[in-house]
Amino acid sequence: QMNLQESGPGRVRPSETLSLICTVSGDSMTRYFWSWIRQTAGGGLEWIGRISVSGITNYNPSLKSRISMSVDTSKNQFSLKMTSLTSADTAIFYCARGTYELWSFDYWGPGTLVTVSS
Amino acid sequence: QSALAQPLSVSGSPGQSVSISCTGSGRDVGDYNYVSWYQQQPGKAPKLLIYDVNKRPSGVSNRFSGSKSGNTASLIISGLQPDDEADYFCCSYTGGFTWVFGGGTKLTVL
């Protein structure tokens, strides 16, 4: 059974950089791609980006200048960095598994709340 | 990349059927048959309900079905049950390994 778990700081100050890690267990990372998705206070979901196990990335054009993703298959982890945070970035951040067969996100972590506040 | 348009809320009585629409453009829903739907219960992560417009993952009830016409996809829930009360999100592939979600629809079972 695939499990994903996000970890991160919980609170970040405005203008600082957010770093999140997703730890994957229960299956190999190899056959899938890996995404970050966030949910703001308004309730909508926003796709942030994806990374393949070979490190190829694709980002949401509206966030591209502020984000970077990396993967470490030896640790079964992938990560997100988001710079220049503002209060508008306060959200629940989810990591999710994407499949090339389903072209959708079939496993999600429970989510981690990140609050941007001084 | 604009969010897909969904109604804010829909409602129905137990046993009835409801439909939730998801309207995009020719650059997403209209151009790809990679529309997926997710159910989110309060305080939980979203759960995949439908992929490739109308396919169900193993374990998802056949009361959930999907369809697409032009730039609009739809999720149909038949035989409404109290447990179906949740938020529902659509998602479309937009090319180049990018995706866009809808704003979400709150389903109330009366």
Side-chain angles (χ1 to χ4, degrees):
Chain A
Q1 174 73 7
M2 166 66 62
N3 278 295
L4 294 85
Q5 181 66 56
E6 305 88 354
S7 56
R11 193 180 86 158
V12 181
R13 298 186 186 281
S15 79
E16 290 190 344
T17 295
L18 169 67
S19 294
L20 294 176
I21 290 174
C22 182
T23 302
V24 177
S25 61
D27 196 359
S28 167
M29 293 184 73
T30 309
R31 294 185 294 124
Y32 308 100
F33 59 90
W34 305 91
S35 273
W36 290 97
I37 296 157
R38 68 178 179 177
Q39 186 165 35
T40 57
L45 294 174
E46 181 177 34
W47 178 79
I48 297 171
R50 80 107 197 185
I51 188 166
S52 71
V53 291
S54 61
I56 298 171
T57 55
N58 302 90
Y59 301 138
N60 185 322
S62 67
L63 299 170
K64 188 174 184 177
S65 63
R66 296 198 293 131
I67 59 175
S68 63
M69 294 175 64
S70 61
V71 63
D72 187 341
T73 54
S74 68
K75 294 182 179 178
N76 283 342
Q77 293 178 335
F78 64 104
S79 66
L80 170 71
K81 284 193 191 308
M82 180 178 287
T83 64
S84 305
L85 291 182
T86 71
S87 58
D89 294 310
T90 293
I92 298 172
F93 284 75
Y94 295 99
C95 59
R97 186 181 86 171
T99 81
Y100 295 101
E101 292 83 14
L102 308 189
W103 290 97
S104 54
F105 308 101
D106 61 349
Y107 282 94
W108 297 58
T112 185
L113 174 63
V114 175
T115 302
V116 182
S117 168
S118 54
Chain B
Q1 194 186 55
S2 300
L4 306 175
Q6 296 183 234
L8 284 177
S9 63
V10 297
S11 62
S13 300
Q16 287 187 333
S17 294
V18 295
S19 176
I20 300 172
S21 62
C22 169
T23 302
S25 72
R27 294 184 300 275
D28 38 64
V29 175
D31 205 22
Y32 299 97
N33 287 323
Y34 296 136
V35 176
S36 51
W37 288 91
Y38 302 83
Q39 178 193 61
Q40 186 178 35
Q41 301 284 1
K44 301 284 191 181
K47 169 191 171 186
L48 178 64
L49 282 182
I50 296 286
Y51 66 96
D52 288 358
V53 175
N54 55 14
K55 298 185 175 119
R56 285 185 306 275
S58 172
V60 172
S61 170
N62 59 9
R63 297 187 300 105
F64 296 93
S65 61
S67 65
K68 190 185 90 165
S69 178
N71 295 338
T72 298
S74 298
L75 173 70
I76 303 97
I77 308 172
S78 60
L80 267 182
Q81 298 179 358
D83 279 354
D84 296 334
E85 189 159 291
D87 293 328
Y88 292 84
F89 295 89
C90 62
C91 178
S92 176
Y93 182 66
T94 60
F97 281 97
T98 63
W99 283 260
V100 63
F101 281 91
T105 298
K106 182 177 181 57
L107 168 64
T108 301
V109 180
L110 301 170

